[in-house]
Amino acid sequence: VATGKLGRPYVCKMSSFVIGVDVGGTNTDAVILKGRQVISSCKKPTTLDPTEGIINAISGALDALKDFQPDYVRSRLSRVCIGTTHFVNAVVERRKDKLVPVAVIRLCGPASRAVPPFADFPADLNPLMKGRVYMVSGGVEYNGKHIAEIQAEELQEVVKDILECQPPLKNIVVSGVFSPLGDPDKNQERKVVNILKNNKHCQDFSFTMASWIGRLGLIERENAAILNESLKPLAAKTISAFKTALKGLKLNCQLYLTQNDGTLISVDEAMK
């Protein structure tokens, strides 16, 4: 189910077509649907460059059409949905070339310091993702009251330390205790990200706010945000490859990725 503004689902007209692609470690499968009916499919070996495998699979599915011409399907194609194991595999295989170190800024004040970020990461994954850890002023109580207020001066010291890292750290997670609670417009994580973005030295930094990713549980939400931020460069490269494949096939339509729960997400949202 793809959703648009206000969470309303997109309605696909019965006269339009959808292409679904599953990029696996061994094979890449493509199907073409009209409504709920599969009208064509194709299986091709997955290639080292995923672009080639996707082009081969979709081209095969278009060539295998029986009741429609490929150009007719192209002209009435509403979206292409791609599912891939690239991101899971990068974590499971501990791929140093696909995972980047992350700096975590936890807004906690005196709270939660006994369990710092990365505390429960597997020993072989920790060195691939752990950049720096900063536990600074901030955080929210369970009732929405602030544990401590954000200190801009403290954040500037954090930036100074990050900039001195070698190799450079540019992927940042901001995680606050109970950050999903309270007024979203006064979210401390958002405030910290805005402060850092206004620093001229942070213009090319990438940020993930933990409150975007999960719910109240601090460690689970923080860990998910770390995974998200560590995989962002791989996501950018993979999505670029997918777009190149669609362009090569002359498919002018929306591109979506599948999520773990079976729903779809736009590539713009996936890059966040």
Side-chain angles (χ1 to χ4, degrees), residues 27-246:
N27 294 309
T28 296
D29 296 274
V31 297
I32 302 176
L33 296 94
K34 185 177 187 295
R36 294 179 178 270
Q37 180 184 3
V38 176
I39 60 173
S40 183
S41 64
C42 182
K43 181 187 292 288
K44 295 288 185 179
T46 296
T47 53
L48 186 60
D49 177 2
T51 304
E52 183 181 350
I54 293 170
I55 290 176
N56 292 340
I58 295 179
S59 295
L62 289 169
D63 292 341
L65 286 165
K66 295 180 179 180
D67 299 324
F68 302 95
Q69 292 295 320
D71 286 343
Y72 178 83
V73 172
R74 283 189 177 94
S75 67
R76 289 164 175 77
L77 190 64
S78 64
R79 63 183 180 268
V80 172
C81 310
I82 300 179
T84 177
T85 58
H86 278 56
F87 309 116
V88 172
N89 290 346
V91 177
V92 171
E93 296 169 5
R94 307 303 198 247
R95 295 291 299 271
K96 186 177 181 179
D97 58 326
K98 295 182 178 180
L99 302 171
V100 300
V102 174
V104 179
I105 303 174
R106 183 189 286 178
L107 315 178
C108 58
S112 77
R113 290 179 177 265
V115 187
F118 298 99
D120 63 346
F121 265 55
D124 57 345
L125 187 60
N126 195 308
L128 300 180
M129 291 189 175
K130 185 175 181 179
R132 292 291 180 93
V133 170
Y134 306 94
M135 304 178 78
V136 302
S137 300
V140 180
E141 298 281 8
Y142 71 92
N143 58 6
K145 292 184 178 180
H146 290 177
I147 295 173
E149 297 302 324
I150 301 299
Q151 301 296 325
E153 298 81 4
E154 187 178 20
L155 293 174
Q156 299 309 326
E157 289 300 315
V158 168
V159 170
K160 182 179 178 181
D161 188 72
I162 290 175
L163 292 172
E164 292 175 352
C165 291
Q166 292 297 330
L169 277 175
K170 295 186 177 181
N171 294 81
I172 315 297
V173 165
V174 181
S175 172
V177 175
F178 282 122
S179 59
L181 293 178
D183 186 349
D185 294 331
K186 298 179 180 179
N187 184 292
Q188 286 189 333
E189 291 179 2
R190 188 185 305 277
K191 183 177 179 180
V192 168
V193 169
N194 288 337
I195 290 173
L196 298 182
K197 282 184 175 180
N198 287 330
N199 186 309
K200 64 180 181 180
H201 300 295
C202 302
Q203 298 305 303
D204 58 346
F205 281 16
S206 171
F207 297 95
T208 293
M209 298 194 311
S211 56
W212 285 350
I213 304 296
R215 299 187 179 181
L216 291 181
L218 173 63
I219 301 302
E220 295 88 346
R221 174 164 43 85
E222 188 173 76
N223 288 349
I226 292 169
L227 288 169
N228 183 77
E229 190 60 37
S230 182
L231 287 165
K232 269 190 182 179
L234 175 61
K237 183 178 179 180
T238 303
I239 289 171
S240 177
F242 291 166
K243 288 182 176 180
T244 299
L246 298 193

